[in-house]
Amino acid sequence: MSSHAEEPNRRDFIVLAGSAFAAVGAAISLWPFIQQMNPDSSALALASVEVDLSPVASGQAITVMWRGKPVFIRNRTEEEVKAAKDFPVADLPDEVARNANVAADATATDENRTLPGHENWLIAIGICTHLGCIPKGQKIGDERGDFGGWFCPCHGSHYDTAGRIRKGPAPRNLDIPPYAFVSDTQIKIG
Amino acid sequence: MSSHESNYQPTTRFGKWLDERLPVNRLVYDQLVAFPTPRNLNYLWTFGGILALCLVVQLITGIVLAMHYQPSGEEAFNSLDHIRRNVNYGWLIQPMHAVGASMFFLAAYIHLFRGLYYGSYKAPREILWILGVFIILAMMATAFMGYSLPWGQMSFWAVTVITNLFSSLDSIIPGMGTAIVEWLWGGYSVSGTTLNRFFSLHYLLPFVIAGLVILHIWALHVVGQNNPAGLDIKSDSDWVPMYPYAVSKDVVGMFAFLLIFAWFMFFLPDYLGHADNFVEADPLVTPPHIVPEWYFLPFYAILRAIPSKLGGVIAMFSSILVLVFIPWLDTARVRSAKYRPIFKWFFWLFVITCIALGYLGALPAEEPYVTYARLFTAYYFAFFLIIMPIVGIIETPKKLPGSITEDVLGPGGGKGASAGAAAAPEKR
Ligand code: HEM
Ligand code: FES
């Protein structure tokens, strides 16, 4: 027996195959227990909302909920649109549009942050891309940060009027959710 | 020590019968009555017992709270109010649990700094120390999830900010961080679903802690206790049995600790919390200033001191994980800082650094605080990674006492003192 100790024999093979089988089985049985924690079908079902924009005058803003997240809707003034257009994209900390309605690698120009023909409407998920606080700037009298858009009080991120990060720790521009105009004053988010 | 022969003698027939079948009485006698403790222990060694008491307090009060608490987004906030106002003695038991969490951390931090100062992490106590680090980590996870349960504004936004730390992984593999965060939340944002699972885990983790504590004490009883002189037990005059000596000292420490505990519980039950947590969670409004509980502040300061999101997260987790490696980072030949003239200064500077980081963690992330936080963060890591290895090599330790007995009685002391007298003080 001892003289053959280094030679793998049939018993070693069975032990190895058996343990491998048990390990794979254990890994597979783990799957449902991990998967149960992911968003369930009722969370997925809340996929879209329709919003009437007609009461929102120029310069005003509203917040609606979509998938449990606040969505900022701002009817921007001409000056606010111009301020966003005039800033060179190359100087932005995040040059990607982050707009679910355009190509994933589109640059963060003001055009790419809005929908054509509706450039006064900035519609973005109102969650700071740093650690998830809700930036200030939707209500009248809110602090809007150094660039007239939104300001996140948690760790001091400043967003401009196109919802792009300009200063502070947030790594990305505010995300633009998938949405479309179903009529001139009605949008569908999701 | 484990090498000690057991001299447990069952005194009753039932005791003898049981001892032959399940020797629990022998275990208790050997480990908690006759167990040899160094005779020079000071009051800092009472915190282990105090911590065990804290765990029992959290378990009992927690199980009682869970009988009245409702882990749902709609009911959680009101059920806490209900506990405090309507449930019989809820006004006592809820603050006992909430203040208890703070007192638990206070004791754990004192216990940890005690170990750092007296070199209790050095051989042969590495595993004992590492188990302690795991316990602190498990306590942090427990307290974090527990803090979400009142479902106030601070609860909600603390959960949001801390779970979002994982989204920093998006900068390594795009999408991975977001996937992990949504998996933790069970949705696309923090919601009642998140609260419900945190409650389940908050109930589970204290029992994991209890398991770790058993291993921690087991490891302690294999290698024996360290002591202020950092010497090993060499002769019978170096030790006294745990009962009555260490036990009675522990009881004195516990009562002093309970006085402070009771002071907070009866007179300042909400002092250690935040006013914002008396406002129900609102996913649409972030409070102007989010601050964690005091025991997380130094780590929060480290998180915010690093300008990159992922970097901050890594620094924060490393600040605790680095503790795992100090048994090998410290190159000194003696254990106790009492005999380390240079290291002693660096140690106290480290204590000041931790307090300063805690102070900065509560302030807004603005200049000049961010710069200070960076300086202290740099020292925090330098202490372990640079000072510990180098000072251990260049420093000449002071002369150690010849034995634990000499540490207590002076040079040449202890002649004629016998362990027999110490073991049976009532017969002297
Ligand atoms: C390691 C031990 C434990 C620690 C550090 C801990 C910590 C905490 C903390 C910090 C809170 C928030 C208190 C507040 O702000 O009001 C809390 C709440 C709570 N804990 Fe624990 N806990 C522990 C053990 C347990 C156990 C064993 C249970 C039993 C299931 C439990 C059940 C609860 C419940 C129901 C609440 C919500 C009521 C409240 O907020 O007072 N805890 N815990
Ligand atoms: S969460 Fe907005 S700046 Fe940190």
Side-chain angles (χ1 to χ4, degrees):
Chain A
M1 168 85 197
S2 60
S3 59
H4 298 290
E6 310 86 50
E7 284 281 304
N9 53 28
R10 270 195 292 182
R11 178 163 294 181
D12 291 332
F13 175 78
I14 290 170
V15 167
L16 198 72
S19 334
F21 191 75
V24 171
I28 291 174
S29 353
L30 214 58
W31 184 244
F33 292 91
I34 295 173
Q35 195 55 25
Q36 53 84 18
M37 280 180 63
N38 267 321
D40 60 28
S41 27
S42 72
L44 293 164
L46 299 168
S48 69
V49 287
E50 291 209 6
V51 188
D52 178 16
L53 299 181
S54 52
V56 190
S58 180
Q60 290 187 340
I62 57 165
T63 306
V64 298
M65 293 299 273
W66 173 66
R67 286 181 155 189
K69 296 178 182 190
V71 174
F72 290 170
I73 301 180
R74 193 188 280 189
N75 190 348
R76 300 183 296 169
T77 61
E78 271 169 35
E79 300 83 72
E80 284 174 334
V81 175
K82 187 169 166 349
K85 285 208 160 124
D86 286 353
F87 191 74
V89 171
D91 293 351
L92 288 169
D94 177 21
E95 292 177 30
V96 183
R98 310 282 171 202
N99 182 348
N101 308 294
V102 301
D105 57 353
T107 54
T109 58
D110 194 60
E111 290 76 20
N112 281 342
R113 300 275 299 160
T114 52
L115 290 191
H118 303 281
E119 284 179 358
N120 54 324
W121 293 104
L122 189 87
I123 296 170
I125 294 178
I127 294 182
C128 181
T129 58
H130 182 226
L131 294 175
C133 293
I134 310 295
K136 300 260 169 238
Q138 284 295 90
K139 289 210 192 75
I140 297 166
D142 267 3
E143 148 106 70
R144 288 187 165 187
D146 294 355
F147 308 94
W150 290 270
F151 171 70
C152 182
C154 289
H155 317 93
S157 288
H158 300 251
Y159 296 89
D160 69 9
T161 54
R164 298 174 299 194
I165 180 68
R166 293 279 284 273
K167 190 173 135 190
R172 284 179 296 113
N173 302 326
L174 293 181
D175 288 313
I176 311 274
Y179 71 96
F181 277 82
V182 287
S183 77
D184 261 1
T185 56
Q186 187 92 1
I187 57 165
K188 185 173 173 225
I189 308 175
Chain B
M1 294 199 182
S2 59
S3 55
H4 254 261
E5 291 274 303
S6 174
N7 52 7
Y8 170 69
Q9 298 286 349
T11 46
T12 59
R13 280 183 63 194
F14 172 72
K16 195 166 177 303
W17 181 86
L18 185 67
D19 191 50
E20 282 157 6
R21 287 161 179 81
L22 181 71
V24 273
N25 290 351
R26 179 179 297 277
L27 183 83
V28 170
Y29 179 84
D30 291 346
Q31 300 304 324
L32 301 175
V33 176
F35 182 70
T37 56
R39 64 189 287 177
N40 59 344
L41 297 186
N42 61 33
Y43 274 105
L44 287 171
W45 265 264
T46 62
F47 280 87
I50 290 172
L51 282 162
L53 177 71
C54 286
L55 182 60
V56 171
V57 169
Q58 290 309 95
L59 283 165
I60 295 175
T61 54
I63 289 168
V64 170
L65 285 173
M67 294 181 186
H68 306 278
Y69 172 80
Q70 307 237 279
S72 79
E74 294 74 37
E75 288 304 320
F77 186 80
N78 293 334
S79 75
L80 216 71
D81 223 38
H82 162 73
I83 292 173
R84 290 173 66 131
R85 287 162 195 268
N86 305 338
V87 173
N88 300 329
Y89 290 99
W91 61 267
L92 176 70
I93 294 166
Q94 193 277 339
M96 203 185 280
H97 193 77
V99 170
S102 276
M103 297 307 291
F104 201 160
F105 275 95
L106 175 69
Y109 286 147
I110 295 174
H111 192 68
L112 197 158
F113 279 104
R114 186 281 316 264
L116 268 184
Y117 185 81
Y118 292 108
S120 303
Y121 49 87
K122 292 174 79 69
R125 297 185 182 81
E126 301 93 326
I127 295 289
L128 175 60
W129 172 261
I130 292 171
L131 283 165
V133 178
F134 290 170
I135 292 173
I136 273 276
L137 281 171
M139 275 174 65
M140 287 176 165
T142 309
F144 165 66
M145 295 195 207
Y147 192 59
S148 74
L149 305 183
W151 212 233
Q153 274 288 66
M154 254 335 156
S155 302
F156 185 92
W157 291 100
V159 172
T160 302
V161 166
I162 300 303
T163 47
N164 260 310
L165 292 178
F166 290 97
S167 69
S168 61
L169 295 173
D170 276 343
S171 59
I172 305 176
I173 303 175
M176 177 171 83
T178 310
I180 293 177
V181 172
E182 286 176 358
W183 177 74
L184 288 171
W185 290 344
Y188 302 102
S189 58
V190 175
S191 67
T193 311
T194 323
L195 173 66
N196 211 158
R197 60 185 58 183
F198 276 22
F199 176 60
S200 169
L201 295 174
H202 182 71
Y203 208 135
L204 165 73
L205 277 180
F207 296 93
V208 174
I209 295 177
L212 287 168
V213 166
I214 290 171
L215 294 181
H216 187 73
I217 295 175
W218 185 3
L220 173 75
H221 283 218
V222 170
V223 295
Q225 279 176 290
N226 186 30
N227 55 80
L231 299 172
D232 294 327
I233 292 177
K234 287 176 208 140
S235 70
D236 273 351
S237 73
D238 284 349
W239 63 272
V240 289
M242 180 151 165
Y243 180 85
Y245 296 95
V247 171
S248 52
K249 192 160 186 152
D250 279 353
V251 170
V252 175
M254 274 178 204
F255 274 104
F257 183 82
L258 287 177
L259 275 177
I260 304 172
F261 194 139
W263 168 261
F264 276 103
M265 187 168 75
F266 290 122
F267 298 107
L268 302 162
D270 299 312
Y271 180 76
L272 296 164
H274 295 284
D276 271 315
N277 230 19
F278 291 95
V279 178
E280 191 168 2
D282 180 352
L284 284 179
V285 182
T286 306
H289 188 48
I290 300 185
V291 227
E293 295 282 87
W294 70 267
Y295 37 82
F296 290 138
L297 288 172
F299 307 103
Y300 195 56
I302 292 176
L303 169 76
R304 297 189 307 178
I306 312 289
S308 116
K309 181 166 155 185
L310 181 64
V313 174
I314 293 176
M316 187 180 74
F317 284 109
S318 313
S319 64
I320 298 166
L321 289 180
V322 68
L323 292 171
V324 167
F325 301 100
I326 64 170
W328 298 278
L329 286 168
D330 183 357
T331 53
R333 280 145 297 158
V334 303
R335 291 196 189 104
S336 172
K338 234 168 114 179
Y339 306 99
R340 300 186 58 188
I342 304 179
F343 180 77
K344 205 183 220 171
W345 289 102
F346 286 111
F347 172 84
W348 287 110
L349 194 55
F350 179 73
V351 173
I352 294 169
T353 295
C354 292
I355 295 171
L357 281 171
Y359 179 72
L360 291 166
L363 295 174
E366 290 161 8
E367 287 303 339
Y369 312 126
V370 178
T371 308
Y372 291 138
R374 289 193 181 139
L375 289 174
F376 285 117
T377 301
Y379 183 77
Y380 184 100
F381 286 103
F383 176 72
F384 295 116
L385 301 175
I386 301 172
I387 292 164
M388 274 199 164
I390 294 180
V391 171
I393 294 169
I394 61 175
E395 172 187 61
T396 315
K398 285 202 241 165
K399 192 174 169 335
L400 295 175
S403 66
I404 290 174
T405 310
E406 271 189 29
D407 183 41
V408 181
L409 302 176
K415 298 269 155 25
S418 84
E426 73 281 8
K427 304 217 177 75
R428 256 196 299 201

